[in-house]
Amino acid sequence: MIFEYAAQIGGAPDTDALLELNANMARDLAGADRCSIWLVDSASREIWTKVAHGTSEIRIPLGHGLVGACIADNEPIVVNDTSSDPRFLGRVDEKSGYATRSVLVLPLRGSDSRVIGALQALNKPGGFDTSDVDLLSLAASYSASALEGQQLRAEAEKARLLLKELEIARSVQQRLLPQTLPALPGLEFDAYCRPAKFVGGDYYDFIALPGDRLFFTLGDVSGKGIAAAVLMASIQAAIRSQMLHPPESLSEFVNDFNKAVYSFSTSDKYSTLFCAMLDANTRRLAFVNAGGCPPMLLRAATGQVERLDAGGCPIGLLGFSRYQQAEIQLEPGDVLLCFSDGISEATNSAEEIWEESDLEKILRSAGGCPAPRIVETAVAAADAFTGDAEQADDMTVVAMKAL
């Protein structure tokens, strides 16, 4: 009988057919009248029949009945007189019209020994004994293996679909970043952004304004992944909307913008934000640094590096925050390097953090190069420091050079 069913099981077209064959084999091996295969539904806290001879699907609360007791205790149960066992649920018979006299229940264990369901045989003439338990363990193993395989395939399909959605999300997020660099007389720009996961919370933007003016930003939303990416997109869209009518005061813009972000974000979601307004004709740059890594300004004339730290706390953290604005004058050859903490706090496999002083040295050595080369050098140095360690945070760099 085992060989006969093994041949049929090997040719089963799908998991449902295989489980039906397992139930049939268990019934015939034990000489029982009926057999059923039960599964645990953790979400509804129920157990239900995946296969049930002679009846439609049955659902009962988790832990109830002989099947529930078998699953809870992870032990076989043999009862040859159901009227004498208080665990037996007579209402199932009342509903189905079937008379259950003897029961054998075996737990279905996954590869990790976790109980995922049970196999139940009913009404063997003369009753069940320990030899039936040993014999039906074969069918129980077949069933558990088939169910686990089905679950793994379902999880793999969910993972595949999620991966596809994440790839789409990554493509969409990349398109939210500027697709072209600003073209202003006497100025050169470059930027780079690489999320730690498929999507991230870092962002930068260039927004051209009337009169050869440019508004640009670099932000870093707290956290990583989907939640950070959603807030990132919301903040970026809100900034672009506000820039349709450029503000007179950068600090007042950030004050109002902070209140807006605070109103639509949660307490654990906020964003650092460096934003600047540049007049290409005068090369005056007004800026506010809301909690971000202070950008480095390399002065070509002296070789000194200044840090742009005037501003306040991160956007959306405190609704009542007020921000300070500062201004600088750019001279020919000066380089402004903005970066997120994914660059300045790059971490290697030994949990060592890159020093900002190293980034400053790189800026000094590469300051005479074009802006794209400066960005490329900074990112390559951070990657060289981290080595084979997994990227811990989103990495973003924006460089501006006065020609």
Side-chain angles (χ1 to χ4, degrees), residues 347-358:
T347 305
N348 63 19
S349 56
E351 299 298 321
E352 298 170 333
I353 298 178
W354 201 32
E355 298 289 342
E356 283 197 9
S357 58
D358 292 334

Side-chain angles (χ1 to χ4, degrees), residues 247-326:
E248 292 296 326
S249 167
L250 192 59
S251 59
E252 286 305 312
F253 160 74
V254 179
N255 288 337
D256 294 340
F257 189 67
N258 172 66
K259 294 177 184 176
V261 174
Y262 182 80
S263 70
F264 65 69
S265 64
T266 57
S267 59
D268 62 332
K269 290 299 175 188
Y270 50 87
S271 175
T272 64
L273 179 69
F274 176 82
C275 56
M277 190 86 73
L278 173 67
D279 187 324
N281 296 316
T282 64
R283 294 192 178 183
R284 292 290 295 176
L285 184 139
F287 70 90
V288 173
N289 183 13
C293 299
M296 296 178 179
L297 175 62
L298 174 64
R299 293 296 191 180
T302 64
Q304 297 299 309
V305 173
E306 302 172 11
R307 303 301 296 269
L308 309 189
D309 55 5
C313 69
I315 296 293
L317 186 61
L318 300 170
F320 54 80
S321 293
R322 304 288 294 178
Y323 295 86
Q324 296 180 336
Q325 172 180 329

Side-chain angles (χ1 to χ4, degrees), residues 167-249:
E167 289 172 344
I168 294 171
R170 182 171 191 163
S171 176
V172 170
Q173 188 176 50
Q174 288 296 314
R175 290 184 178 277
L176 290 177
L177 299 174
Q179 301 301 297
T180 58
L181 295 171
L184 291 174
L187 294 163
E188 188 177 61
F189 300 87
D190 196 47
Y192 176 85
C193 182
R194 187 176 74 205
K197 299 183 181 298
F198 274 87
V199 291
D202 276 16
Y203 59 97
Y204 67 88
D205 209 353
F206 299 109
I207 303 174
L209 303 176
D212 284 338
R213 291 187 302 158
L214 177 72
F215 177 86
F216 67 94
T217 62
L218 187 152
D220 181 0
V221 172
S222 59
K224 299 180 284 294
I226 297 293
V230 171
L231 183 56
M232 168 271 202
S234 300
I235 289 175
Q236 191 175 42
I239 290 176
R240 289 185 179 184
S241 175
Q242 292 291 319
M243 285 300 128
L244 292 175
H245 303 285
E248 292 296 326
S249 167

Side-chain angles (χ1 to χ4, degrees), residues 7-269:
Q8 296 180 57
I9 288 170
D14 53 43
T15 304
D16 289 346
L18 188 149
L19 291 173
E20 185 76 35
L21 285 168
N22 283 340
N24 294 346
M25 181 173 69
R27 177 196 60 202
D28 295 347
L29 283 173
D33 182 55
R34 290 184 177 184
C35 188
S36 55
I37 295 175
W38 296 71
L39 297 182
V40 175
D41 186 341
S42 300
S44 65
R45 295 196 58 78
E46 292 179 316
I47 49 179
W48 62 284
T49 51
K50 177 73 171 177
V51 177
H53 291 148
T55 184
S56 57
E57 180 184 298
I58 302 170
R59 281 185 174 266
I60 61 175
L62 188 62
H64 287 221
L66 292 169
V67 175
C70 170
I71 291 172
D73 297 338
N74 191 12
E75 292 290 342
I77 292 177
V78 175
V79 175
N80 286 317
D81 181 7
T82 56
S83 64
S84 65
D85 196 312
R87 297 172 296 179
F88 177 69
L89 287 181
R91 69 173 184 267
V92 175
D93 276 5
E94 293 172 5
K95 185 176 180 180
S96 66
Y98 185 75
T100 302
R101 296 177 297 278
S102 58
V103 179
L104 185 158
V105 194
L106 290 167
L108 301 181
R109 302 183 183 96
S111 57
D112 58 357
S113 298
R114 179 175 55 91
V115 180
I116 60 176
L119 184 147
Q120 178 182 248
L122 304 177
N123 291 355
K124 176 183 177 180
F128 297 99
D129 55 34
T130 55
S131 64
D132 295 311
V133 174
D134 295 335
L135 193 57
L136 294 197
S137 294
L138 173 65
S141 296
Y142 265 127
S143 299
S145 177
L147 288 166
E148 193 169 43
Q150 185 182 52
Q151 291 173 355
L152 289 173
R153 285 190 294 273
E155 290 170 5
E157 179 62 14
K158 287 180 182 178
R160 187 189 68 81
L161 293 175
L162 178 59
L163 181 62
K164 184 177 181 179
E165 291 179 359
L166 286 173
E167 289 172 344
I168 294 171
R170 182 171 191 163
S171 176
V172 170
Q173 188 176 50
Q174 288 296 314
R175 290 184 178 277
L176 290 177
L177 299 174
Q179 301 301 297
T180 58
L181 295 171
L184 291 174
L187 294 163
E188 188 177 61
F189 300 87
D190 196 47
Y192 176 85
C193 182
R194 187 176 74 205
K197 299 183 181 298
F198 274 87
V199 291
D202 276 16
Y203 59 97
Y204 67 88
D205 209 353
F206 299 109
I207 303 174
L209 303 176
D212 284 338
R213 291 187 302 158
L214 177 72
F215 177 86
F216 67 94
T217 62
L218 187 152
D220 181 0
V221 172
S222 59
K224 299 180 284 294
I226 297 293
V230 171
L231 183 56
M232 168 271 202
S234 300
I235 289 175
Q236 191 175 42
I239 290 176
R240 289 185 179 184
S241 175
Q242 292 291 319
M243 285 300 128
L244 292 175
H245 303 285
E248 292 296 326
S249 167
L250 192 59
S251 59
E252 286 305 312
F253 160 74
V254 179
N255 288 337
D256 294 340
F257 189 67
N258 172 66
K259 294 177 184 176
V261 174
Y262 182 80
S263 70
F264 65 69
S265 64
T266 57
S267 59
D268 62 332
K269 290 299 175 188

